[in-house]
């Protein structure tokens, strides 16, 4: 008993230590309201549900026992039951209380898990619009109907379990007897008991039928979501009839319980079964087969219109600006002269390829790391808004290292690294506007910020930080400057986690993280804090459990701090007449498929970007802002948690400048638009204009192309804006054939402006360009095919692959400019060394069937547009290697780097190939021989440069990475 008691006490202490740790965490973050509201709500719901389950079950068993027969039966079977009764009698009271209590506990736990449904019902807000069938406010379907279904389903469980428990008690104590000849004798008390339970079940089943008619509006089993012709004219009336019949039969059972006349309820039950089969099954089937199918287009038109309208409303697609776009496929000279706002910002730096370049050039130490996929943002540089590829330099720890190294020494990353999106330096490397340690660069001259990254996507599980005044710093902060070899040390000075300075708190967290080192280490002092739950998604999900969070959090410099910005959605699957979407399928593309972070999952048919959240990278502070303060679901949650979400008016202009249109919501919307871009219900029914998101031509396998952020001026806009874009191609035919031609181009205005607390009126505007259905404008896949089959391109790329170098195609951008659609793809080359990284070498451009391929974007555009595109572009500025000295043709300038030598040699080889082809065409074999000599010379120089890079270049890059610029 002593061991058992000690075990119970230890288990209770572990449970309450986790409870106490959560209280400390929420109190430190300032969201104790969320924690206690959720816990109290769950506790109240648990108690109510447990009592509602346990008490009726106990009453049912107690009533059956109280009305048991008072005489002992004489047959053999009852004698056996008497033995059972004798064995159960000593523990009868325990069982009659214990069984209902246990069932009640499990029921309470199950219902408490639905706390959000309950709180939304109690705090619901009106949508201000009604459904097209019952003319009820949408809030009834979003808030009330799920709650009513939950309560009714729970009560049915109470009646069934209570009834079964009561009947078993009757059987055990002789109220129900099975005779030797197979007959069953049911005593009067058992008959009354059973009749009452059946009556209650029928009443609740009647309620189930009644609410079932409203649930048809969210049904997803038909050709389209919602109540269609069959549902409106057969299923809904049938469920109304069944509800009334069930209640009437319940009344007959109650009457029979006291009169003993069972004929009428038995006949009624048979009638109910027949009505269920006929009205609930056969009649709707006949209506569908012999009335709807022969005239389906005509009869379903009204309901398909409802589905089209309500689905677009549910996904925020009711205000899409649709513009016919008769795209050209022939490039004309000077066609891009009026497109400077777009061409000047074409992003050549692929954020999904240059992570290795960031690591080699900006990592500096092995304990730093960059994410695989970087982010795209924009910053104001000298009055110009520049698209920026940006990443946080986060700390990474050795999982096999000592406890001190993992949790005390390596606690934080250091600084952001940002590069211009529309250009590279003369060596093809990222042109950094922010980098180095300490931070320097063009952006740094305007931005003084706290660079330390304690909270991020790669942070350690937990870190112990902080110390009293005079404490010897133990945290590695950053590499030393100058000739010093030791790293600079630092002590955290913010308020980022609960205090573990006292023994009790240390014991609590030692249990939480199963670490005796945390309890015994001398690295823990009186002022120590413990930082945990450190990823942005973890922190926001804990303080806003009612939100669905975007998969991607991105860092930005906001008001002198590095802040992670994250989008929060209010979602539901109960919006009437709206088609559901599988989130995981909708948001999966070539980037998320290779991502190390979780994707969204579940089914929804309603989504709004209601909240913008920020997480301070230094102290982990979480702030939630009501981005759509009129959204009914968010308003309902604000009724539940009045102080947790701040108004948008408190957002600073600098934060507004870095808010983006959310990626996952855009992906869901584009998936819906593949079928819901049509307005005519006949076209929708025939599905003769269905689209699909094209596969990423640069990825392996059939996986969707991701949307891309870029500064873009749509044909209907006056100025360029930071936008999120995607394309559409026709859906595969019934035979499986796929036309990879462009049918649509979608853009979302992702720029919220720079005014404090005021969102730009055009933010979130969706613009859809619809191309003619008989268009011949190549889609992304066909554009990539044109690149891959152009002989000049393949020849040059094969040359670039010499010396075991790898050629990697960057993201294929689509831009509606010049009256058509322009495709731009950067081409990167990466050598085979372990510390190599991709550098931009070429740019591919396509317009219609014309392909341009050159060292720079401007040259490639000129090739396509008859020698002069008229475009304004930004090219590399040669900042890494000094001025390039012009030399004779075929001669390598002496000041060039190895990368530049390779580029020059390949350009000379390309020119020699063209010269030889022209000589052959003219029949001039002497000139052809000279061209071959030039080609061989160029190839030799290319191989020499590439070999030098492989052997020595990696070493040079590593040295550059070890000594930050200016130190």
């Amino acid at each position: 008993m002593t061991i058992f008691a000690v075990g119970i006490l230890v288990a209770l202490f572990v449970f309450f230590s986790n409870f106490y740790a959560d209280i400390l965490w929420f109190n430190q973050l300032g969201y104790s309201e969320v924690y206690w509201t959720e816990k109290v709500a769950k506790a109240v719901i648990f108690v109510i549900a447990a009592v509602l389950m346990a008490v009726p079950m106990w009453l049912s068993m107690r009533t059956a026992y109280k009305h048991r027969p008072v005489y002992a039966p004489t047959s053999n079977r009852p004698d056996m039951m008497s033995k059972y009764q004798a064995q159960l009698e000593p523990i009868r009271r325990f069982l009659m209380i214990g069984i209902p209590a246990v069932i009640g506990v499990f029921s309470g736990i199950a219902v408490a898990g639905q706390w959000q449904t309950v709180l939304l019902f109690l705090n619901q807000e009106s949508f201000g619009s009604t459904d097209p069938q019952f003319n009820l406010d949408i809030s009834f379907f979003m808030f009330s109907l799920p709650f009513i279904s939950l309560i009714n389903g729970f009560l049915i469980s109470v009646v069934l379990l209570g009834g079964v428990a009561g009947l078993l008690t009757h059987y055990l104590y002789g109220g129900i007897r099975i005779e030797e000849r197979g007959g069953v004798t049911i005593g009067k008390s058992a008959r009354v008991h059973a009749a009452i339970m059946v009556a209650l079940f029928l009443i609740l089943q009647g309620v189930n039928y009644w609410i079932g008619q409203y649930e048809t509006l969210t049904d997803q089993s038909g050709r389209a979501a919602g109540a269609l012709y069959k549902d409106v004219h057969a299923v809904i009336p049938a469920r109304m009839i069944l509800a009334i019949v069930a209640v009437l039969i319940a009344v007959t059972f109650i009457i029979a319980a006291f009169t003993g006349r069972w004929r009428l309820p038995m006949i009624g039950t048979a009638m109910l079964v027949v009505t269920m089969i006929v009205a609930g099954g056969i009649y709707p089937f006949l209506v569908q087969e012999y009335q709807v199918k022969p005239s389906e287009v005509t009869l379903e038109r009204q309901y398909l219109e409802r589905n089209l309208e309500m689905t677009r409303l549910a996904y925020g697609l009711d205000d899409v600006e649709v513009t016919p776009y008769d795209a050209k496929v022939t490039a004309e000279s000077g066609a891009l002269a009026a497109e400077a706002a777009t061409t000047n910002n074409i992003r050549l730096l692929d954020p999904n390829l240059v992570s290795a370049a960031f690591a080699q050039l900006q990592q500096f130490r092995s304990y730093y790391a960059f994410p695989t996929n970087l982010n795209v943002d924009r910053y104001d540089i000298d009055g110009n808004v520049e698209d920026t590829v940006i990443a946080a330099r986060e700390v990474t720890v050795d999982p096999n290292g000592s406890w001190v190294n993992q949790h005390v020494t390596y606690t934080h990353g250091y600084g952001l690294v940002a590069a211009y999106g529309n250009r590279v330096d003369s060596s093809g490397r990222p042109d950094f506007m922010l980098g180095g340690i300490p931070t320097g660069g063009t952006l740094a001259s305007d931005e003084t910020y706290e660079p330390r990254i304690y909270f991020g996507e790669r942070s350690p599980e937990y870190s112990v930080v902080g110390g009293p005044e005079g404490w010897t710093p133990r945290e590695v902060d950053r590499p030393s400057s100058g000739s010093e070899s030791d790293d600079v040390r630092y002590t955290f000075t913010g308020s980022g986690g609960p205090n573990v300075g006292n023994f009790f708190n240390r014991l609590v967290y030692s249990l939480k993280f199963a670490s005796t080192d945390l309890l015994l280490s001398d690295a823990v002092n009186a002022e120590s804090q413990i930082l945990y739950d450190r990823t942005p998604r973890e922190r926001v999900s804990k303080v806003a459990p009612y939100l669905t969070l975007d998969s991607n959090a991105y860092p930005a410099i906001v008001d002198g701090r590095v802040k992670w910005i994250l989008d929060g959605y209010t979602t539901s699957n109960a919006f009437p007449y709206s088609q559901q979407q599988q989130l995981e399928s909708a948001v999966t593309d070539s980037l998320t498929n290779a991502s190390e972070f979780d994707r969204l999952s579940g089914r929804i048919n309603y989504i709004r970007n209601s909240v913008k959240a920020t997480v301070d990278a230094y102290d982990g502070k979480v702030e939630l802002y009501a981005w759509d303060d009129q959204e009914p679901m968010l308003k309902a949650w604000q009724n539940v948690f009045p102080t947790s979400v701040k108004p948008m008016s408190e957002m600073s202009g600098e934060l507004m400048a870095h808010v983006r249109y959310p990626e996952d919501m855009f992906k869901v919307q584009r998936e819906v638009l593949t079928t819901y871009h049509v307005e005519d219900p006949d076209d929708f029914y025939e599905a003769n204009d269905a689209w699909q998101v094209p596969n990423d031509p640069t990825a392996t396998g059939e996986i969707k192309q991701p949307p891309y952020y870029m500064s873009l001026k749509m044909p209907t806009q006056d100025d360029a804006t930071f936008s999120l874009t995607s394309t559409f191609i026709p859906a595969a035919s019934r035979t499986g054939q796929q036309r990879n031609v462009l049918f649509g181009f979608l853009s979302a205005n992702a720029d919220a402006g720079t005014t404090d607390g005021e969102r730009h009126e055009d933010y979130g505007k969706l613009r859809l360009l619809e191309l003619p259905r008989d268009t011949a404008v190549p889609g992304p896949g066909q554009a990539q095919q044109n690149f891959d089959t152009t002989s000049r391109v393949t020849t040059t790329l094969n040359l670039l692959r010499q010396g075991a170098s790898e050629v990697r195609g960057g993201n294929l951008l689509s831009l509606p400019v010049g009256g058509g659609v322009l495709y731009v793809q950067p081409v990167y080359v990466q050598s085979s060394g372990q510390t190599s990284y991709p550098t931009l070498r070429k740019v591919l451009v396509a317009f219609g069937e014309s392909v341009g391929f050159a060292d720079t974007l401007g040259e490639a555009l000129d090739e396509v547009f008859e020698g002069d595109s008229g475009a304004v572009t930004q090219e590399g500025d040669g900042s890494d290697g000094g001025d390039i000295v012009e030399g004779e043709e075929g001669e390598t300038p002496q000041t060039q780097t190895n990368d530049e030598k390779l580029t020059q040699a390949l350009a000379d080889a390309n020119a020699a190939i063209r010269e030889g082809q022209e000589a052959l065409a003219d029949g001039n074999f002497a000139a052809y021989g000279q061209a071959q000599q030039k080609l061989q010379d160029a190839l030799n120089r290319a191989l020499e440069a590439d070999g030098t890079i492989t052997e020595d270049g990696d070493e040079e890059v590593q040295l550059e990475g070890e000594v930050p610029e200016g130190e």
Side-chain angles (χ1 to χ4, degrees), residues 577-606:
Y577 274 105
S578 177
Q579 196 74 38
Q580 286 186 0
Q581 291 291 319
Q582 171 57 252
L583 280 176
E584 185 171 14
S585 173
V587 304
T588 298
D589 55 35
S590 60
L591 296 185
T592 58
N593 197 48
S595 174
E596 54 201 292
F597 304 112
D598 294 335
R599 285 166 282 174
L600 304 186
S601 61
R603 301 188 69 88
I604 64 165
N605 69 356
Y606 172 87

Short mmCIF file of all heavy atoms in Angstrom, two decimals, residues 577-606:
data_model
loop_
_atom_site.label_atom_id
_atom_site.label_comp_id
_atom_site.label_asym_id
_atom_site.label_seq_id
_atom_site.Cartn_x
_atom_site.Cartn_y
_atom_site.Cartn_z
N TYR A 577 -24.02 25.18 -49.03
CA TYR A 577 -23.85 25.17 -50.49
C TYR A 577 -22.42 25.44 -50.94
O TYR A 577 -22.20 25.79 -52.09
CB TYR A 577 -24.78 26.18 -51.15
CG TYR A 577 -26.17 25.64 -51.43
CD1 TYR A 577 -27.24 26.01 -50.63
CD2 TYR A 577 -26.38 24.75 -52.46
CE1 TYR A 577 -28.52 25.51 -50.88
CE2 TYR A 577 -27.66 24.24 -52.71
CZ TYR A 577 -28.71 24.62 -51.91
OH TYR A 577 -29.97 24.12 -52.16
N SER A 578 -21.43 25.27 -50.07
CA SER A 578 -20.05 25.51 -50.44
C SER A 578 -19.31 24.19 -50.60
O SER A 578 -19.45 23.29 -49.76
CB SER A 578 -19.34 26.37 -49.38
OG SER A 578 -17.98 26.55 -49.71
N GLN A 579 -18.52 24.09 -51.66
CA GLN A 579 -17.78 22.86 -51.95
C GLN A 579 -16.57 22.74 -51.03
O GLN A 579 -15.81 23.69 -50.87
CB GLN A 579 -17.30 22.88 -53.40
CG GLN A 579 -16.86 21.54 -53.93
CD GLN A 579 -18.03 20.61 -54.22
OE1 GLN A 579 -19.07 21.05 -54.69
NE2 GLN A 579 -17.87 19.34 -53.91
N GLN A 580 -16.41 21.59 -50.43
CA GLN A 580 -15.28 21.37 -49.53
C GLN A 580 -13.99 21.20 -50.31
O GLN A 580 -13.98 20.73 -51.45
CB GLN A 580 -15.52 20.14 -48.66
CG GLN A 580 -16.53 20.34 -47.55
CD GLN A 580 -16.62 19.14 -46.63
OE1 GLN A 580 -15.91 18.15 -46.80
NE2 GLN A 580 -17.48 19.22 -45.63
N GLN A 581 -12.87 21.56 -49.65
CA GLN A 581 -11.54 21.36 -50.19
C GLN A 581 -10.70 20.61 -49.17
O GLN A 581 -10.78 20.89 -47.97
CB GLN A 581 -10.87 22.71 -50.51
CG GLN A 581 -11.49 23.46 -51.68
CD GLN A 581 -11.23 22.77 -53.00
OE1 GLN A 581 -10.14 22.27 -53.25
NE2 GLN A 581 -12.24 22.73 -53.86
N GLN A 582 -9.90 19.67 -49.65
CA GLN A 582 -8.94 18.98 -48.80
C GLN A 582 -7.71 19.86 -48.71
O GLN A 582 -7.01 20.09 -49.70
CB GLN A 582 -8.60 17.62 -49.40
CG GLN A 582 -7.45 16.89 -48.74
CD GLN A 582 -7.66 16.66 -47.26
OE1 GLN A 582 -7.00 17.32 -46.44
NE2 GLN A 582 -8.58 15.78 -46.92
N LEU A 583 -7.44 20.38 -47.52
CA LEU A 583 -6.37 21.36 -47.36
C LEU A 583 -5.01 20.82 -47.78
O LEU A 583 -4.25 21.50 -48.47
CB LEU A 583 -6.31 21.84 -45.90
CG LEU A 583 -7.33 22.89 -45.49
CD1 LEU A 583 -7.19 23.18 -43.99
CD2 LEU A 583 -7.14 24.17 -46.28
N GLU A 584 -4.70 19.63 -47.36
CA GLU A 584 -3.37 19.10 -47.66
C GLU A 584 -3.14 19.01 -49.16
O GLU A 584 -2.07 19.36 -49.67
CB GLU A 584 -3.18 17.73 -47.01
CG GLU A 584 -1.77 17.17 -47.18
CD GLU A 584 -1.54 15.93 -46.35
OE1 GLU A 584 -2.53 15.34 -45.87
OE2 GLU A 584 -0.38 15.53 -46.19
N SER A 585 -4.17 18.56 -49.89
CA SER A 585 -4.04 18.47 -51.34
C SER A 585 -3.93 19.84 -51.98
O SER A 585 -3.15 20.05 -52.91
CB SER A 585 -5.25 17.72 -51.91
OG SER A 585 -5.25 17.74 -53.31
N ALA A 586 -4.70 20.80 -51.47
CA ALA A 586 -4.73 22.13 -52.07
C ALA A 586 -3.41 22.88 -51.88
O ALA A 586 -2.99 23.63 -52.76
CB ALA A 586 -5.89 22.94 -51.50
N VAL A 587 -2.77 22.72 -50.73
CA VAL A 587 -1.58 23.53 -50.44
C VAL A 587 -0.27 22.83 -50.80
O VAL A 587 0.79 23.43 -50.72
CB VAL A 587 -1.53 23.94 -48.95
CG1 VAL A 587 -2.80 24.66 -48.56
CG2 VAL A 587 -1.30 22.74 -48.04
N THR A 588 -0.34 21.57 -51.20
CA THR A 588 0.88 20.85 -51.53
C THR A 588 1.37 21.23 -52.93
O THR A 588 0.62 21.18 -53.90
CB THR A 588 0.65 19.33 -51.47
OG1 THR A 588 0.29 18.96 -50.15
CG2 THR A 588 1.91 18.58 -51.87
N ASP A 589 2.63 21.64 -53.02
CA ASP A 589 3.24 21.93 -54.31
C ASP A 589 4.70 21.49 -54.25
O ASP A 589 5.11 20.82 -53.29
CB ASP A 589 3.09 23.41 -54.69
CG ASP A 589 3.64 24.35 -53.62
OD1 ASP A 589 4.65 24.00 -52.97
OD2 ASP A 589 3.06 25.44 -53.42
N SER A 590 5.48 21.88 -55.26
CA SER A 590 6.85 21.40 -55.33
C SER A 590 7.72 21.92 -54.19
O SER A 590 8.76 21.34 -53.88
CB SER A 590 7.49 21.80 -56.66
OG SER A 590 7.50 23.20 -56.82
N LEU A 591 7.31 23.02 -53.53
CA LEU A 591 8.09 23.55 -52.42
C LEU A 591 7.67 22.92 -51.10
O LEU A 591 8.50 22.46 -50.33
CB LEU A 591 7.93 25.07 -52.35
CG LEU A 591 8.48 25.85 -53.55
CD1 LEU A 591 8.38 27.34 -53.29
CD2 LEU A 591 9.91 25.45 -53.85
N THR A 592 6.36 22.89 -50.83
CA THR A 592 5.91 22.31 -49.56
C THR A 592 6.15 20.82 -49.54
O THR A 592 6.32 20.23 -48.47
CB THR A 592 4.41 22.58 -49.34
OG1 THR A 592 3.66 22.05 -50.45
CG2 THR A 592 4.15 24.07 -49.26
N ASN A 593 6.17 20.18 -50.71
CA ASN A 593 6.40 18.75 -50.75
C ASN A 593 7.80 18.40 -50.26
O ASN A 593 8.04 17.34 -49.71
CB ASN A 593 6.22 18.24 -52.19
CG ASN A 593 6.04 16.73 -52.24
OD1 ASN A 593 5.25 16.18 -51.50
ND2 ASN A 593 6.77 16.07 -53.11
N ALA A 594 8.74 19.34 -50.48
CA ALA A 594 10.11 19.12 -50.03
C ALA A 594 10.40 19.86 -48.73
O ALA A 594 11.53 19.89 -48.26
CB ALA A 594 11.09 19.58 -51.10
N SER A 595 9.37 20.47 -48.14
CA SER A 595 9.58 21.30 -46.95
C SER A 595 9.77 20.44 -45.71
O SER A 595 9.26 19.32 -45.61
CB SER A 595 8.38 22.24 -46.75
OG SER A 595 8.49 22.94 -45.54
N GLU A 596 10.49 20.99 -44.74
CA GLU A 596 10.70 20.28 -43.49
C GLU A 596 9.62 20.61 -42.46
O GLU A 596 9.64 20.12 -41.34
CB GLU A 596 12.08 20.66 -42.92
CG GLU A 596 12.27 22.16 -42.78
CD GLU A 596 13.74 22.55 -42.71
OE1 GLU A 596 14.38 22.19 -41.70
OE2 GLU A 596 14.24 23.20 -43.62
N PHE A 597 8.66 21.44 -42.82
CA PHE A 597 7.64 21.87 -41.87
C PHE A 597 6.28 21.26 -42.24
O PHE A 597 6.04 20.85 -43.37
CB PHE A 597 7.55 23.39 -41.84
CG PHE A 597 8.88 24.03 -41.52
CD1 PHE A 597 9.55 24.77 -42.45
CD2 PHE A 597 9.45 23.86 -40.28
CE1 PHE A 597 10.77 25.34 -42.16
CE2 PHE A 597 10.68 24.43 -39.96
CZ PHE A 597 11.34 25.17 -40.92
N ASP A 598 5.39 21.24 -41.27
CA ASP A 598 4.09 20.61 -41.45
C ASP A 598 3.21 21.42 -42.39
O ASP A 598 3.24 22.64 -42.42
CB ASP A 598 3.38 20.46 -40.10
CG ASP A 598 4.10 19.50 -39.19
OD1 ASP A 598 4.80 18.62 -39.70
OD2 ASP A 598 3.96 19.64 -37.96
N ARG A 599 2.41 20.68 -43.15
CA ARG A 599 1.42 21.32 -44.01
C ARG A 599 0.05 21.26 -43.34
O ARG A 599 -0.16 20.52 -42.40
CB ARG A 599 1.36 20.61 -45.36
CG ARG A 599 2.53 20.91 -46.28
CD ARG A 599 2.59 19.93 -47.43
NE ARG A 599 3.16 18.67 -47.00
CZ ARG A 599 3.22 17.58 -47.77
NH1 ARG A 599 2.74 17.62 -48.98
NH2 ARG A 599 3.76 16.47 -47.33
N LEU A 600 -0.87 22.04 -43.87
CA LEU A 600 -2.22 22.03 -43.34
C LEU A 600 -2.90 20.72 -43.69
O LEU A 600 -2.56 20.06 -44.67
CB LEU A 600 -3.02 23.20 -43.92
CG LEU A 600 -2.45 24.60 -43.73
CD1 LEU A 600 -3.43 25.65 -44.24
CD2 LEU A 600 -2.15 24.86 -42.27
N SER A 601 -3.90 20.35 -42.92
CA SER A 601 -4.67 19.13 -43.19
C SER A 601 -6.11 19.37 -42.75
O SER A 601 -6.42 20.32 -42.05
CB SER A 601 -4.07 17.94 -42.45
OG SER A 601 -4.09 18.14 -41.05
N GLY A 602 -6.98 18.46 -43.19
CA GLY A 602 -8.39 18.57 -42.86
C GLY A 602 -9.20 19.07 -44.05
O GLY A 602 -8.66 19.44 -45.09
N ARG A 603 -10.52 19.08 -43.89
CA ARG A 603 -11.43 19.52 -44.95
C ARG A 603 -12.16 20.78 -44.50
O ARG A 603 -12.63 20.85 -43.35
CB ARG A 603 -12.44 18.43 -45.31
CG ARG A 603 -11.80 17.13 -45.78
CD ARG A 603 -12.83 16.15 -46.31
NE ARG A 603 -13.40 16.61 -47.57
CZ ARG A 603 -12.88 16.34 -48.77
NH1 ARG A 603 -11.77 15.63 -48.86
NH2 ARG A 603 -13.45 16.77 -49.86
N ILE A 604 -12.27 21.74 -45.38
CA ILE A 604 -12.96 22.99 -45.07
C ILE A 604 -13.82 23.39 -46.27
O ILE A 604 -13.60 22.93 -47.39
CB ILE A 604 -11.98 24.14 -44.76
CG1 ILE A 604 -11.12 24.46 -46.00
CG2 ILE A 604 -11.09 23.80 -43.57
CD1 ILE A 604 -10.40 25.77 -45.92
N ASN A 605 -14.80 24.24 -46.01
CA ASN A 605 -15.52 24.88 -47.13
C ASN A 605 -15.74 26.37 -46.86
O ASN A 605 -16.61 26.99 -47.48
CB ASN A 605 -16.84 24.16 -47.43
CG ASN A 605 -17.88 24.34 -46.33
OD1 ASN A 605 -17.61 24.94 -45.28
ND2 ASN A 605 -19.08 23.83 -46.56
N TYR A 606 -14.92 26.90 -45.94
CA TYR A 606 -14.98 28.34 -45.63
C TYR A 606 -13.63 28.73 -45.06
O TYR A 606 -13.07 28.01 -44.21
CB TYR A 606 -16.08 28.63 -44.61
CG TYR A 606 -16.09 30.05 -44.09
CD1 TYR A 606 -16.77 31.06 -44.76
CD2 TYR A 606 -15.42 30.38 -42.91
CE1 TYR A 606 -16.78 32.36 -44.27
CE2 TYR A 606 -15.43 31.68 -42.43
CZ TYR A 606 -16.11 32.66 -43.11
OH TYR A 606 -16.12 33.96 -42.62
#
